[in-house]
Amino acid sequence: MQIIGIDVGFGFTKATDGQESVVFKSIYGDATDIQFWVDFQERSLTEYFHVTLDGKSYFIGDLAEQQSDAVAFTLDQERMVADFARLLTLTVTGLFLQNEEMPETPISLVSGLPVGFYKQYHDRFRDALKGRHAITYHSPDGGRITKKIQIERVQLLPQPMGSLLDLIMDETGTIVDTELAQQKIGIVDIGFRTTDYTVVDRLRYVERSSRTMDTGISKAYAVIANKLRENSGVNVELYRLYRAVRNGTIKMRGQGFNFSKIRDQIYTQLASTVSGDLDRIWSGDWDIETILLTGGGSKELFGHLQPLITGNIRNLPAQSDPRMTNVRGYYKYGRYLWDRGESAPAKDSAATSADAS
């Protein structure tokens, strides 16, 4: 049995099998014939995702952005589950199967959904992934390899739970930070489209204090894209802004634009919205002992958000990639569940109340 933690996010798809990790943009497009291909530098596998699934070929991630005539990208949860989740999940799952000589190795997946979408999409997400699948990977030289995938079990969690489990568990799924495990924790998970606010009290998920708000980092990207359109007349797709927003500069038609001041102003406004939502949602949770900031957007907003939050704030280590904390926690939770020979709890909501004792 192989355990994989995976998060199909609106911005990036992230996955780990405990040894290797993969991150790529959550976009795809129709595969086209490329007449000439040459590479003068070594690139990661995620930079050439050309796959065939159910008889249809796709470019995924960076390759889709570069080569596809039309690129599919969404900030809609319904479309994410219907059109993106299975394709992107199977694409990354097949990477962790080493070769064709080990077909249909049973795989157990742990993934997550935003708190506000968990109940509505839980069954559809799980049912789309369970079962037998075959996916073909094409290489630039015309070679191909088909991986047969047997997903035996799918366990879903409210997304922010992954970050907490990553902190308190080691790589075997054993709870090692027993002090943190006994606390009441507030988790602010700032993603690309959404921000999740979740309270976990001694490892028990608290429903009444957990919400999803449409205040992800894409709100800032959308404002920046509008400013760039006003200045240049060019509509820049949000998924093409990641590096530019990080640097605060972009070149368009040979002309450079520096928007770092605008970006910082927008981040300040977004941080104010996030902290205001936190105060409102957790108004009755005055006994929260630690607030954990996580998610891909937490790195950008941390400096703006920290002064606005009262409490014991715990940020992720500076050298870590905050996009990966949930999937590392998912993987560790899979080890906790299945390495001990346990089956998943009868109710998935109960799966979040693993006891530290």
Side-chain angles (χ1 to χ4, degrees), residues 188 195-197 199 208-215 272-286 288 291 308-309:
V188 182
T195 294
D196 275 348
Y197 303 84
V199 171
R208 67 171 178 81
S209 302
S210 301
R211 298 285 187 278
T212 293
M213 306 298 292
D214 288 326
T215 51
S272 178
T273 300
V274 169
S275 65
D277 288 338
L278 181 153
D279 290 339
R280 177 175 53 82
I281 295 169
W282 293 345
S283 60
D285 294 291
W286 46 265
I288 286 177
I291 295 175
L308 305 178
I309 298 178

Side-chain angles (χ1 to χ4, degrees), residues 27 47 69 78 94 98 110 135 139 152 155 159 177 188 194 220 238 255 261 277 284 287 291 304 308 320 327 338 352:
I27 57 177
E47 292 184 274
D69 294 327
E78 172 67 31
Q98 297 303 314
V110 182
I135 187 166
S139 60
E152 191 172 85
Q155 178 68 45
Q159 276 180 352
D177 192 336
V188 182
T194 62
L238 298 189
Q255 184 178 359
K261 289 184 179 179
D277 288 338
D287 54 343
I291 295 175
H304 304 270
L308 305 178
S320 69
V327 292
W338 298 310
T352 62

Side-chain angles (χ1 to χ4, degrees), residues 1 3 171-172 331 334-342:
M1 179 190 67
I3 297 171
E171 294 301 321
T172 69
Y331 167 78
R335 296 288 303 270
Y336 171 84
L337 283 179
W338 298 310
D339 275 6
R340 290 163 173 74
E342 301 173 15

Side-chain angles (χ1 to χ4, degrees), residues 205-241:
Y205 169 81
V206 180
E207 179 69 41
R208 67 171 178 81
S209 302
S210 301
R211 298 285 187 278
T212 293
M213 306 298 292
D214 288 326
T215 51
I217 206 74
S218 64
K219 290 285 187 181
Y221 279 50
V223 175
I224 291 169
N226 287 335
K227 295 291 185 182
L228 292 174
R229 184 178 65 249
E230 292 171 4
N231 286 308
S232 67
V234 177
N235 288 310
V236 183
E237 298 89 344
L238 298 189
Y239 62 82
R240 297 181 69 179
L241 279 174

Side-chain angles (χ1 to χ4, degrees), residues 106-174:
I107 294 173
S108 296
L109 291 182
V110 182
S111 189
L113 287 166
V115 172
F117 301 126
Y118 185 85
K119 183 177 181 179
Q120 181 179 358
Y121 292 103
H122 172 277
D123 290 343
R124 284 179 58 191
F125 191 96
R126 180 196 58 204
D127 293 345
L129 300 181
K130 287 186 70 173
R132 298 172 186 266
H133 313 271
I135 187 166
T136 299
Y137 297 84
H138 304 264
S139 60
D141 62 7
R144 62 179 64 189
I145 182 172
T146 297
K147 303 285 186 73
K148 294 181 179 180
I149 301 171
Q150 180 186 347
I151 299 179
E152 191 172 85
R153 293 179 286 203
V154 178
Q155 178 68 45
L156 293 175
L157 294 169
Q159 276 180 352
M161 287 290 301
S163 290
L164 178 58
L165 296 175
D166 184 39
L167 281 179
I168 67 172
M169 289 180 169
D170 65 14
E171 294 301 321
T172 69
T174 301

Side-chain angles (χ1 to χ4, degrees), residues 193-205:
R193 181 205 155 182
T194 62
T195 294
D196 275 348
Y197 303 84
T198 300
V199 171
V200 180
D201 190 355
R202 287 167 294 171
L203 294 188
R204 180 166 293 169
Y205 169 81

